[in-house]
Amino acid sequence: MSVASGRPRQARTAARQGEGAPASVVQRFGLWLGGLGRSGGAATDVLPVRVGVPEYPRKEATPAIRPDFDQALVWVIVALLAFGLVMVYSASIALPDNPKFARYAHTHFLTRHLLSLSLAFVAALLAFQVPVATWEKWAPWIFVASLVLLMIVLIPQVGKGVNGARRWISLGFMSFQPSELAKFAVVLYAADYMVRKMEVKERFFRAVLPMGAAVAVVGLLLLAEPDMGAFMVIAVIAMGILFLGGVNARMFFVIAAILIVAFGLMIMMSEWRRERIFAYLDPWSEKHALGKGYQLSHSLIALGRGEIWGVGLGGSVEKLHWLPEAHTDFLLAVIGEEFGLIGVLTVISLFLWLTRRLMHIGRQAIALDRVFAGLVAQGVGIWVGFQAFINMGVNLGALPTKGLTLPFMSYGGSAILINLVAIAVVLRIDVENRQMMRGGRA
């Protein structure tokens, strides 16, 4: 018998001799150390010495909970909404002093804006629950629904006219603007269209022309309201998604040239649009200062009064019936007057970061071979970035006056509602991206 085979027999014999007798501290310590060496750790709970203190059960370490969504994106949106709420109240608090709004309370626009935010928040939560694949199935039908609403708003008994434009449908508790839904619908439809036409994207007549025809139909309905600003945003969204979807660069520049010529002709053929251009070029002239250049000139006065640090929250003079639409299209001018250059730069920085982040989420989705989701996220980025750029340019006098609100900030229930739904869809895209990167399924 070998030495190796003899050792276990000796151990068993010693164990039998020790049965019935209390184990010494040395023996128990040896057994405990032997248990540590065996696989499975069966004896790891046998301690060499029992101390007279209570024993507590072991607990497994709880892994840190990581958020499944983009927290920074959410907080930037919350910051824009909160700042917008404060500024809408500041810009509209004096409106009831005007005979036109005499029947309204001083908190009327604040209350309505809070109601819009509440409805938008509920709608965004519901939209977030919908998988991106479902949005892809719904895209054509949402586009058709937006076309139907754009036609309904033109009916005199249904559409609500304000300042010569018929753009709203009254729902009692709020007025709905179909052109806002049309922007979201074009984002979804253009992304879905590019996915379906990916194999023929290099052919103009099979890939580009049908999408161009769809945008033209939307444009004709919007120009009938009229709402040229919304048409410009929708055209840029469609162009951007076509380009990001891989359409040939030559075709892209052809489309851009056609759109520039079309908008130029629209301006030339409309006397009041021509007047806006002339007023933009010289808003201080005697002819335009009290006419088409009135809003622009008072917007520039407000920004000039604000200087670097502003006159303080609530201290704006231009909002006191000098600057029209201060709580909607010209909210940035009031921000500039009350918070100065610092406030304007802060808003610009937030929108720059937001646009960049939306584009990044889109690129991430495309890298994961989720083309529809990626194009939707980038389309929302183009929409928010371009509309904010136009609004800021108008307020700063860099662009001709155009009736486009500042996303997430200006007063307007329809815009807030659709903007938050679009952001909820992008957050859903980001969540599904994170699931796929962890090895799961979207």
Side-chain angles (χ1 to χ4, degrees):
M1 181 182 297
S2 64
V3 177
S5 61
R7 285 176 181 171
R9 179 176 298 177
Q10 295 172 0
R12 289 194 297 271
T13 303
R16 283 196 300 268
Q17 291 174 353
E19 287 178 359
S24 67
V25 172
V26 175
Q27 288 175 331
R28 294 180 67 182
F29 187 72
L31 289 172
W32 182 68
L33 288 178
L36 286 178
R38 290 194 295 269
S39 62
T44 55
D45 60 337
V46 182
L47 295 177
V49 179
R50 295 291 182 183
V51 293
V53 294
E55 296 184 9
Y56 298 98
R58 295 183 181 181
K59 293 183 179 180
E60 295 183 359
T62 304
I65 300 174
R66 294 183 179 179
D68 244 355
F69 60 91
D70 193 327
Q71 284 188 311
L73 177 60
V74 172
W75 282 115
V76 166
I77 296 296
V78 169
L80 289 172
L81 292 172
F83 193 23
L85 178 65
V86 172
M87 293 313 301
V88 164
Y89 182 46
S90 176
S92 64
I93 192 171
L95 283 179
D97 297 336
N98 188 325
K100 181 180 177 181
F101 303 102
R103 60 191 180 91
Y104 294 151
H106 289 281
T107 57
H108 171 80
F109 292 98
L110 173 66
T111 306
R112 300 270 297 193
H113 198 65
L114 279 171
L115 175 63
S116 299
L117 286 174
S118 302
L119 292 173
F121 180 70
V122 173
L125 284 179
L126 294 174
F128 181 75
Q129 306 304 317
V130 180
V132 177
T134 305
W135 286 110
E136 187 171 3
K137 294 177 184 176
W138 289 352
W141 302 109
I142 295 175
F143 182 71
V144 171
S146 69
L147 291 178
V148 172
L149 288 174
L150 287 174
M151 289 186 281
I152 290 175
V153 78
L154 298 176
I155 302 173
Q157 290 78 15
V158 179
K160 179 182 175 182
V162 178
N163 296 330
R166 194 178 299 278
R167 303 175 184 174
W168 295 268
I169 297 175
S170 180
L171 301 178
F173 60 93
M174 68 176 291
S175 295
F176 183 74
Q177 193 171 359
S179 60
E180 295 295 333
L181 176 63
K183 296 172 188 176
F184 180 58
V186 167
V187 169
L188 296 176
Y189 181 71
D192 175 61
Y193 178 86
M194 282 308 301
V195 171
R196 290 187 281 109
K197 298 290 184 179
M198 195 61 69
E199 295 180 359
V200 293
K201 62 185 179 182
E202 299 293 331
R203 302 180 184 179
F204 181 82
F205 290 102
R206 294 187 62 183
V208 179
L209 195 60
M211 189 66 211
V215 173
V217 172
V218 176
L220 289 174
L221 293 172
L222 288 172
L223 291 175
E225 294 182 0
D227 193 352
M228 186 176 175
F231 181 31
M232 288 177 61
V233 173
I234 285 173
V236 169
I237 290 171
M239 277 181 55
I241 291 178
L242 287 176
F243 180 73
L244 294 170
V247 168
N248 187 284
R250 285 182 300 175
M251 289 191 285
F252 175 79
F253 286 116
V254 168
I255 299 168
I258 292 172
L259 284 174
I260 291 171
V261 171
F263 284 122
L265 289 173
M266 280 185 259
I267 293 170
M268 289 176 60
M269 295 170 62
S270 172
E271 183 178 355
W272 63 274
R273 289 193 178 110
R274 289 200 308 270
E275 287 296 320
R276 277 193 173 183
I277 298 296
F278 295 144
Y280 155 71
L281 295 173
D282 187 12
W284 305 106
S285 69
E286 187 176 345
K287 178 182 178 182
H288 301 305
L290 296 176
K292 295 294 183 182
Y294 183 81
Q295 279 181 304
L296 176 56
S297 60
H298 281 276
S299 175
L300 295 175
I301 291 171
L303 292 165
R305 288 192 74 248
E307 297 184 351
I308 303 294
W309 301 103
V311 297
L313 179 61
S316 170
V317 171
E318 286 299 318
K319 70 183 182 185
L320 304 177
H321 317 300
W322 293 103
L323 178 61
E325 310 298 337
H327 60 305
T328 55
D329 301 348
F330 284 86
L331 189 68
L332 187 69
V334 179
I335 293 173
E337 186 177 2
E338 296 189 349
F339 291 94
L341 177 65
I342 302 301
V344 173
L345 289 179
T346 300
V347 174
I348 292 173
S349 300
L350 288 173
F351 275 103
L352 280 173
W353 186 93
L354 176 61
T355 303
R356 180 180 176 276
R357 184 61 191 158
L358 294 173
M359 300 299 286
H360 172 74
I361 292 173
R363 288 196 302 270
Q364 199 173 54
I366 291 173
L368 294 169
D369 202 25
R370 305 177 65 226
V371 179
F372 172 79
L375 292 178
V376 167
Q378 292 181 329
V380 173
I382 294 170
W383 167 15
V384 171
F386 181 72
Q387 184 163 327
F389 170 77
I390 294 294
N391 179 272
M392 293 173 183
V394 168
N395 277 257
L396 299 173
L399 295 171
T401 304
K402 186 84 340 259
L404 286 174
T405 57
L406 190 60
F408 307 108
M409 297 189 73
S410 294
Y411 176 81
S414 303
I416 292 288
L417 175 67
I418 301 300
N419 287 340
L420 285 189
V421 168
I423 291 296
V425 173
V426 175
L427 283 171
R428 177 74 191 200
I429 291 169
D430 180 62
V431 167
E432 293 185 4
N433 287 348
R434 292 167 188 251
Q435 289 175 351
M436 291 193 69
M437 286 188 288
R438 289 197 303 265
R441 296 178 62 184

